[in-house]
Amino acid sequence: MKIIRNVIIILALLLAVSAEAAERVVVTFPQSFGLIYIMGLSNKIVGMPTQKLHIKNGKLSPFYQHYSPNLAKATDIGFTGAVNLETLLSLNPDLVISSANVSSSQENTKFLRSKGIKVLEIMGGSGSVKNWLEMVKRACDEAGVPDRAETYIKIWEKNLTFVNERLSKIPADKRVKVTLINSNGGEITVRGSRSKFCIDLIKHAGGIVMEGDKDPQDSAACAELVFKFDPDVIIDDYSNTGNCPDWIEHLRAIKNGRVYPIPYDDKDAWITIWTFNAYSPLGLLWLAKNFYPEEFADLDLDKAQDEFCVTVFGSNFKKK
């Protein structure tokens, strides 16, 4: 009995240690950056890929200044495929966020763990909404901040319930057809299954997308597919519909003025794009309101944004 009791005590101590929130965090790949803010660790980052995140010479955009001013002091450690391990070790991190699906990072992970450093491996792309929420829970649990995941997931579930209740009143044959595009440089790319997260978000918001053998994946050469689909709504994930090719002007969505650039809170902090992972609870509401303006006429997106930032990040941040 004494041996069993000692084992239980040791396990309890180990769990207590593992549950301590990190104080010195190193991030090795940009795709995980939004997750860091959900985890409440954004102001504890001591090393990160500053060039990849477009943070140069310690100059921070308004979002970063507001929520994580210490980023200005963070050291550039390279990025997933080219981490400077010597620099990383010199920062004495107690948590390193690394990629689980980049082969070059696996040896680094093994090396860092041999040095007693905790490494949290997560996928570079979150896949579906379900995959993303599972990732949030696991990351927060392993980082010792499970309550942060609970808070974030509750917001997601609340918004999804609200949207589903309104959508239940809309017949299937009245649902809008939606095409997601990128208009960077005037070259139209039609998004499809390769942009899995945003496509899944559109479906949750009640949009119908091209699927099956008509799925464009991510293609710049699928005008014929788009013409046949003739969407009611176009969502532009680049927020720039200028200088687009002539053919797009003949689509129903263009003629009816239903092209919507995705909003963001800070143009220089891409993690604040509303349909990206971190901000997706807001993206869901924004999509639903634009798809079905009458059914969601009372939805106050500014109020939703205020509540989201206060609840998840700890204080409000006005969109720039």
Side-chain angles (χ1 to χ4, degrees), residues 78-301:
F79 55 97
T80 302
V83 173
N84 187 320
L85 290 175
E86 184 176 353
T87 300
L88 192 158
L89 289 173
S90 72
L91 298 173
N92 298 314
D94 50 20
L95 177 65
V96 174
I97 310 294
S98 185
S99 172
N101 57 334
V102 176
S103 58
S104 60
S105 70
Q106 294 173 2
E107 285 299 315
N108 290 343
T109 295
K110 183 178 180 181
F111 172 76
L112 292 172
R113 285 175 174 164
S114 74
K115 297 294 183 181
I117 297 174
K118 184 174 182 178
V119 181
L120 173 58
E121 292 182 286
I122 59 179
M123 299 297 289
S126 62
S128 67
V129 168
K130 180 182 178 182
N131 295 149
W132 163 242
L133 296 179
E134 290 172 347
M135 185 190 301
V136 169
K137 185 179 188 310
R138 185 173 71 83
C140 289
D141 284 348
E142 292 192 25
V145 288
D147 56 316
R148 305 283 304 190
E150 183 178 353
T151 296
Y152 181 82
I153 292 172
K154 279 184 177 179
I155 292 175
W156 233 110
E157 292 174 343
K158 173 187 173 183
N159 290 358
L160 184 59
T161 297
F162 168 72
V163 169
N164 283 339
E165 286 176 352
R166 298 291 177 94
L167 292 178
S168 66
K169 303 172 185 177
I170 305 173
D173 62 349
K174 299 296 183 182
R175 298 290 176 96
V176 298
K177 296 189 294 183
V178 183
T179 294
L180 176 66
I181 69 167
N182 179 284
S183 63
N184 189 4
E187 292 293 330
I188 296 295
T189 297
V190 179
R191 303 293 198 185
S193 55
R194 289 185 61 191
S195 299
K196 186 174 183 179
F197 186 82
C198 195
I199 293 295
D200 196 29
L201 199 60
I202 287 171
K203 292 179 183 177
H204 279 296
I208 299 172
V209 298
M210 291 183 281
E211 295 186 292
D213 59 355
K214 294 180 174 58
D215 170 29
Q217 298 186 28
D218 277 25
S219 173
C222 55
E224 185 178 352
L225 280 178
V226 180
F227 266 121
K228 287 183 178 179
F229 188 61
D230 198 13
D232 301 293
V233 173
I234 291 176
I235 301 297
D236 187 354
D237 69 7
Y238 185 69
S239 301
N240 173 19
T241 54
N243 300 318
C244 290
D246 293 339
W247 63 263
I248 199 172
E249 296 178 3
H250 301 286
L251 296 176
R252 181 185 318 175
I254 302 290
K255 292 179 179 178
N256 294 334
R258 300 198 69 185
V259 180
Y260 306 109
I262 296 171
Y264 46 75
D265 277 12
D266 182 345
K267 64 182 179 63
D268 294 317
W270 54 264
I271 66 168
T272 70
I273 295 174
W274 280 27
T275 57
F276 275 24
N277 301 339
Y279 266 72
S280 56
L282 291 180
L284 173 70
L285 298 180
W286 175 80
L287 288 168
K289 188 176 179 70
N290 281 293
F291 293 168
Y292 308 103
E294 293 183 5
E295 287 76 5
F296 291 90
D298 61 333
L299 172 57
D300 187 337
L301 291 175

Side-chain angles (χ1 to χ4, degrees), residues 18-90:
S18 64
E20 291 180 0
E23 292 295 328
R24 296 181 61 80
V25 181
V26 168
V27 181
T28 68
F29 69 115
Q31 294 92 333
S32 66
F33 213 54
L35 183 60
I36 300 299
Y37 285 80
I38 294 171
M39 295 163 73
L41 301 177
S42 60
N43 215 32
K44 297 180 180 180
I45 295 175
V46 295
M48 63 181 185
T50 57
Q51 299 300 313
K52 288 288 184 178
L53 289 163
H54 307 294
I55 298 173
K56 299 178 181 179
N57 302 319
K59 294 181 180 179
L60 305 179
S61 68
F63 178 85
Y64 296 136
Q65 289 177 27
H66 184 82
Y67 290 116
S68 48
N70 284 348
L71 284 183
K73 304 175 184 177
T75 300
D76 187 3
I77 50 86
F79 55 97
T80 302
V83 173
N84 187 320
L85 290 175
E86 184 176 353
T87 300
L88 192 158
L89 289 173
S90 72

